[in-house]
Amino acid sequence: MIRKSLLSLLLIAIIIIGALIIFIAKDTRQFILIGVDGMQYDHFTTMLSTGKLPNYQRLIDNGGIATSAQIAGHIETSTAPGNAEIFTGLPSSITTITDNSCGKSIPEGLTVFERLYGGDSSIALGLIYGKNTCYVPQSLLAHAKPIIPWWFDMNNFSPKSYISPSYADSKDISLKALEFLNLNKKNSFFLTIYYGVPDAAGHTYGENSTQYDEALINTDQALGILLDWMKENDSKISMIITSDHGWNEGTTEHSQNTTNTRTIPLLSNDPSIISSPSTKYQCSIVPTLYKYFKIKSSIYTDITNTGCFSMY
Ligand SMILES: [Zn+2]
């Protein structure tokens, strides 16, 4: 009789522990946001359709999607305003970031990092950034940096440089990112990865140069490192890939606001999270992240501009 009761108790304990494991596993949310600096949408799609970007293609072939988004919240299509919109979902009238002025910061409390932390401090935050200027990433994200424990920019990490000392080889950025992924296999996390090299090639050699092609291929190889890791680890990480701005056709510049600079690539390995609306916006990325991480909407009631809502 006692043995039977003990057996029943053991069975109940096993069921409860099993249910807890399933609950915890189900609630683990893992997201990588990849920014690629200055990837012109038309140039990207041409290279994709001619088979020059096999890893972006692999992401699409494995159930992902490649589409585009529009910049609507700032006028000058340059890096600091683009990064500000990607990392806040807010227009430059609120972020105050209208150009690449040195040393400016997004006002305290507006970034996706700070708001995710405020909504759920159990989400592990990481950033690895392959470009180093007087405006990104340190100054722009100065208020977010203290709450990102796993922060690597080119001041506390020395990747191989690419074209100029201000830009990192994207493959080294991905290899560093694997350290974060290995540390956080079982945790909910939000990791930002930033590849700078198309911007370096575009400014030095122009958009229609072989060096610009090679820079996009460099980001493709870097993406491959992440996709290989995800495959080996049977990972279900959700991913969005986008750009801070496009490129003025055939030039070494991108700050003139034209269709080519306003239109940016938007890719995901999980089409369900960017399924609507048909016209997508750069400002929608952050609200999509808030929905993904189930952050209560009262934390981001200031994101009200047209189109700046979750894409699913
Ligand atoms: Zn840029």
Side-chain angles (χ1 to χ4, degrees):
M1 191 63 184
I2 291 171
R3 183 178 287 178
K4 225 173 180 181
S5 304
L6 276 174
L7 268 175
S8 307
L9 274 174
L10 190 66
L11 200 64
I12 290 165
I14 288 168
I15 290 168
I16 290 171
I17 290 165
L20 269 175
I21 288 169
I22 289 166
F23 176 76
I24 291 164
K26 204 179 158 195
D27 212 40
T28 301
R29 290 167 189 277
Q30 302 182 325
F31 204 103
I32 299 176
L33 174 61
I34 300 179
V36 183
D37 201 310
M39 185 155 72
Q40 192 204 58
Y41 179 66
D42 283 352
H43 200 111
F44 168 74
T45 53
T46 300
M47 285 186 70
L48 193 64
S49 64
T50 50
K52 289 179 179 160
L53 301 172
N55 290 298
Y56 287 103
Q57 190 62 52
R58 169 155 60 126
L59 179 137
I60 297 161
D61 292 345
N62 289 341
I65 187 173
T67 181
S68 63
Q70 297 297 314
I71 293 172
H74 58 275
I75 304 298
E76 187 180 307
T77 46
S78 51
T79 299
N83 272 247
E85 193 155 339
I86 287 173
F87 292 125
T88 65
L90 293 161
S92 59
S93 56
I94 298 179
T95 64
T96 72
I97 309 296
T98 52
D99 56 31
N100 286 349
S101 296
C102 280
K104 284 192 74 178
S105 304
I106 295 168
E108 189 165 7
L110 300 187
T111 68
V112 62
F113 306 100
E114 292 158 275
R115 290 177 172 189
L116 285 180
Y117 183 78
D120 181 354
S121 61
S122 72
I123 300 166
L125 299 176
L127 176 142
I128 168 111
Y129 205 95
K131 179 176 181 178
N132 188 36
T133 67
C134 65
Y135 44 91
V136 287
Q138 293 237 32
S139 60
L140 193 84
L141 298 174
H143 295 294
K145 190 169 183 277
I147 52 103
I148 304 176
W150 201 90
W151 169 293
F152 287 94
D153 61 33
M154 293 168 73
N155 293 295
N156 64 342
F157 159 64
S158 300
K160 249 194 286 7
S161 67
Y162 192 100
I163 294 181
S164 107
S166 300
Y167 297 89
D169 188 305
S170 307
K171 297 192 292 295
D172 279 3
I173 296 300
S174 284
L175 289 171
K176 189 72 185 170
L178 296 193
E179 292 178 23
F180 179 90
L181 298 180
N182 282 318
L183 278 173
N184 289 288
K185 275 186 191 173
K186 303 261 187 289
N187 302 332
S188 288
F189 67 73
F190 173 60
L191 173 65
T192 290
I193 297 172
Y194 202 80
Y195 303 138
V197 297
D199 192 68
H203 282 307
T204 311
Y205 302 103
E207 179 256 334
N208 283 325
S209 63
T210 52
Q211 289 89 346
Y212 189 77
D213 282 5
E214 285 163 7
L216 261 63
I217 291 166
N218 181 262
T219 70
D220 180 81
Q221 292 167 343
L223 176 64
I225 290 170
L226 301 177
L227 296 181
D228 285 348
W229 185 94
M230 287 166 66
K231 191 177 178 199
E232 282 161 22
N233 289 278
D234 195 24
S235 167
K236 303 283 185 283
I237 299 169
S238 291
M239 187 184 269
I240 280 180
I241 306 172
T242 191
S243 191
D244 56 339
H245 49 75
W247 210 275
N248 290 121
E249 177 60 32
T251 74
T252 56
E253 297 300 331
H254 54 68
S255 55
Q256 297 306 312
N257 190 327
T258 64
T259 303
N260 271 324
T261 57
R262 254 194 334 265
T263 307
I264 49 172
L266 182 73
L267 293 92
S268 182
N269 63 342
D270 179 0
S272 71
I273 60 171
I274 58 168
S275 57
S276 71
S278 54
T279 302
K280 302 173 203 308
Y281 295 94
Q282 189 176 47
C283 61
S284 310
I285 294 167
V286 163
T288 302
L289 287 164
Y290 292 147
K291 183 165 184 187
Y292 178 85
F293 284 105
K294 297 184 175 174
I295 300 301
K296 58 179 187 285
S297 56
S298 59
I299 284 183
Y300 55 98
T301 49
D302 51 354
I303 303 181
T304 55
N305 274 28
T306 309
C308 301
F309 41 75
S310 167
M311 292 180 278
Y312 76 108

mmCIF file of all heavy atoms in Angstrom, residues 37-38 77-80 83 100 131 194 199 203 244-245 247 254, ligand 1:
data_model
loop_
_atom_site.group_PDB
_atom_site.id
_atom_site.type_symbol
_atom_site.label_atom_id
_atom_site.label_comp_id
_atom_site.label_asym_id
_atom_site.label_seq_id
_atom_site.Cartn_x
_atom_site.Cartn_y
_atom_site.Cartn_z
ATOM 1 N N ASP A 37 25.187 47.788 -42.718
ATOM 2 C CA ASP A 37 25.289 49.214 -43.000
ATOM 3 C C ASP A 37 25.337 49.495 -44.503
ATOM 4 O O ASP A 37 26.256 49.066 -45.194
ATOM 5 C CB ASP A 37 26.552 49.780 -42.319
ATOM 6 C CG ASP A 37 26.465 51.284 -42.138
ATOM 7 O OD1 ASP A 37 26.156 51.983 -43.113
ATOM 8 O OD2 ASP A 37 26.684 51.743 -41.004
ATOM 9 N N GLY A 38 24.306 50.182 -44.986
ATOM 10 C CA GLY A 38 24.338 50.660 -46.369
ATOM 11 C C GLY A 38 24.141 49.593 -47.430
ATOM 12 O O GLY A 38 24.812 49.608 -48.460
ATOM 13 N N THR A 77 19.182 60.194 -45.019
ATOM 14 C CA THR A 77 19.329 58.733 -44.961
ATOM 15 C C THR A 77 20.791 58.369 -44.668
ATOM 16 O O THR A 77 21.492 57.829 -45.513
ATOM 17 C CB THR A 77 18.854 58.105 -46.284
ATOM 18 O OG1 THR A 77 19.405 58.864 -47.375
ATOM 19 C CG2 THR A 77 17.348 58.088 -46.384
ATOM 20 N N SER A 78 21.199 58.678 -43.455
ATOM 21 C CA SER A 78 22.562 58.340 -43.053
ATOM 22 C C SER A 78 22.539 57.447 -41.815
ATOM 23 O O SER A 78 21.477 57.127 -41.270
ATOM 24 C CB SER A 78 23.411 59.600 -42.851
ATOM 25 O OG SER A 78 22.752 60.497 -42.014
ATOM 26 N N THR A 79 23.731 57.053 -41.367
ATOM 27 C CA THR A 79 23.855 55.955 -40.402
ATOM 28 C C THR A 79 23.235 56.248 -39.038
ATOM 29 O O THR A 79 22.480 55.426 -38.514
ATOM 30 C CB THR A 79 25.344 55.589 -40.229
ATOM 31 O OG1 THR A 79 25.829 55.174 -41.498
ATOM 32 C CG2 THR A 79 25.529 54.475 -39.223
ATOM 33 N N ALA A 80 23.563 57.404 -38.462
ATOM 34 C CA ALA A 80 23.070 57.656 -37.094
ATOM 35 C C ALA A 80 21.535 57.736 -37.042
ATOM 36 O O ALA A 80 20.921 57.068 -36.194
ATOM 37 C CB ALA A 80 23.711 58.911 -36.515
ATOM 38 N N ASN A 83 20.231 54.134 -37.580
ATOM 39 C CA ASN A 83 20.408 53.317 -36.371
ATOM 40 C C ASN A 83 19.426 53.735 -35.286
ATOM 41 O O ASN A 83 18.860 52.888 -34.590
ATOM 42 C CB ASN A 83 21.842 53.450 -35.849
ATOM 43 C CG ASN A 83 22.797 52.455 -36.469
ATOM 44 O OD1 ASN A 83 23.304 51.564 -35.810
ATOM 45 N ND2 ASN A 83 23.043 52.590 -37.764
ATOM 46 N N ASN A 100 24.697 62.660 -38.829
ATOM 47 C CA ASN A 100 25.822 61.968 -38.192
ATOM 48 C C ASN A 100 26.678 62.892 -37.321
ATOM 49 O O ASN A 100 27.896 62.743 -37.292
ATOM 50 C CB ASN A 100 26.712 61.326 -39.269
ATOM 51 C CG ASN A 100 26.077 60.087 -39.882
ATOM 52 O OD1 ASN A 100 25.074 59.580 -39.386
ATOM 53 N ND2 ASN A 100 26.657 59.600 -40.973
ATOM 54 N N LYS A 131 31.471 48.461 -36.644
ATOM 55 C CA LYS A 131 31.800 49.774 -37.194
ATOM 56 C C LYS A 131 32.084 50.687 -36.011
ATOM 57 O O LYS A 131 31.410 50.584 -34.985
ATOM 58 C CB LYS A 131 30.608 50.312 -38.001
ATOM 59 C CG LYS A 131 30.838 51.692 -38.588
ATOM 60 C CD LYS A 131 29.654 52.114 -39.463
ATOM 61 C CE LYS A 131 29.907 53.495 -40.080
ATOM 62 N NZ LYS A 131 28.811 53.917 -40.961
ATOM 63 N N TYR A 194 25.948 43.861 -35.910
ATOM 64 C CA TYR A 194 26.008 44.923 -36.926
ATOM 65 C C TYR A 194 27.224 44.726 -37.831
ATOM 66 O O TYR A 194 28.363 44.732 -37.373
ATOM 67 C CB TYR A 194 26.088 46.291 -36.243
ATOM 68 C CG TYR A 194 25.634 47.432 -37.127
ATOM 69 C CD1 TYR A 194 24.285 47.706 -37.302
ATOM 70 C CD2 TYR A 194 26.563 48.223 -37.804
ATOM 71 C CE1 TYR A 194 23.862 48.750 -38.114
ATOM 72 C CE2 TYR A 194 26.150 49.274 -38.622
ATOM 73 C CZ TYR A 194 24.788 49.523 -38.770
ATOM 74 O OH TYR A 194 24.372 50.562 -39.571
ATOM 75 N N ASP A 199 29.083 49.696 -46.295
ATOM 76 C CA ASP A 199 29.253 51.144 -46.182
ATOM 77 C C ASP A 199 30.697 51.547 -46.501
ATOM 78 O O ASP A 199 30.943 52.519 -47.236
ATOM 79 C CB ASP A 199 28.889 51.573 -44.753
ATOM 80 C CG ASP A 199 28.760 53.077 -44.607
ATOM 81 O OD1 ASP A 199 27.804 53.648 -45.180
ATOM 82 O OD2 ASP A 199 29.607 53.673 -43.919
ATOM 83 N N HIS A 203 31.474 53.854 -49.854
ATOM 84 C CA HIS A 203 32.069 55.194 -49.746
ATOM 85 C C HIS A 203 33.430 55.269 -50.434
ATOM 86 O O HIS A 203 33.803 56.304 -50.972
ATOM 87 C CB HIS A 203 32.231 55.586 -48.267
ATOM 88 C CG HIS A 203 30.954 56.026 -47.621
ATOM 89 N ND1 HIS A 203 30.158 57.018 -48.163
ATOM 90 C CD2 HIS A 203 30.328 55.614 -46.492
ATOM 91 C CE1 HIS A 203 29.100 57.199 -47.378
ATOM 92 N NE2 HIS A 203 29.171 56.345 -46.370
ATOM 93 N N ASP A 244 20.470 50.205 -42.296
ATOM 94 C CA ASP A 244 20.179 51.546 -41.780
ATOM 95 C C ASP A 244 19.731 52.495 -42.889
ATOM 96 O O ASP A 244 18.959 53.422 -42.658
ATOM 97 C CB ASP A 244 21.389 52.105 -41.023
ATOM 98 C CG ASP A 244 22.662 52.145 -41.861
ATOM 99 O OD1 ASP A 244 22.747 51.413 -42.868
ATOM 100 O OD2 ASP A 244 23.577 52.912 -41.498
ATOM 101 N N HIS A 245 20.209 52.265 -44.118
ATOM 102 C CA HIS A 245 19.838 53.084 -45.287
ATOM 103 C C HIS A 245 20.285 52.331 -46.528
ATOM 104 O O HIS A 245 21.091 51.392 -46.437
ATOM 105 C CB HIS A 245 20.523 54.456 -45.251
ATOM 106 C CG HIS A 245 22.003 54.373 -44.998
ATOM 107 N ND1 HIS A 245 22.910 53.970 -45.961
ATOM 108 C CD2 HIS A 245 22.729 54.588 -43.876
ATOM 109 C CE1 HIS A 245 24.126 53.968 -45.441
ATOM 110 N NE2 HIS A 245 24.052 54.317 -44.168
ATOM 111 N N TRP A 247 21.427 53.155 -50.825
ATOM 112 C CA TRP A 247 22.579 53.817 -51.433
ATOM 113 C C TRP A 247 22.135 54.611 -52.653
ATOM 114 O O TRP A 247 21.281 54.135 -53.419
ATOM 115 C CB TRP A 247 23.648 52.779 -51.855
ATOM 116 C CG TRP A 247 25.013 53.387 -51.768
ATOM 117 C CD1 TRP A 247 25.640 54.138 -52.719
ATOM 118 C CD2 TRP A 247 25.880 53.360 -50.636
ATOM 119 N NE1 TRP A 247 26.855 54.580 -52.244
ATOM 120 C CE2 TRP A 247 27.024 54.116 -50.960
ATOM 121 C CE3 TRP A 247 25.795 52.777 -49.364
ATOM 122 C CZ2 TRP A 247 28.082 54.299 -50.071
ATOM 123 C CZ3 TRP A 247 26.846 52.950 -48.487
ATOM 124 C CH2 TRP A 247 27.973 53.707 -48.843
ATOM 125 N N HIS A 254 25.092 58.153 -49.798
ATOM 126 C CA HIS A 254 23.761 57.592 -49.517
ATOM 127 C C HIS A 254 22.859 58.547 -48.743
ATOM 128 O O HIS A 254 21.772 58.176 -48.340
ATOM 129 C CB HIS A 254 23.890 56.289 -48.722
ATOM 130 C CG HIS A 254 24.704 56.438 -47.456
ATOM 131 N ND1 HIS A 254 24.257 57.173 -46.384
ATOM 132 C CD2 HIS A 254 25.926 55.981 -47.127
ATOM 133 C CE1 HIS A 254 25.169 57.142 -45.430
ATOM 134 N NE2 HIS A 254 26.204 56.439 -45.858
HETATM 135 ZN ZN ZN B 1 25.171 53.693 -42.586
#
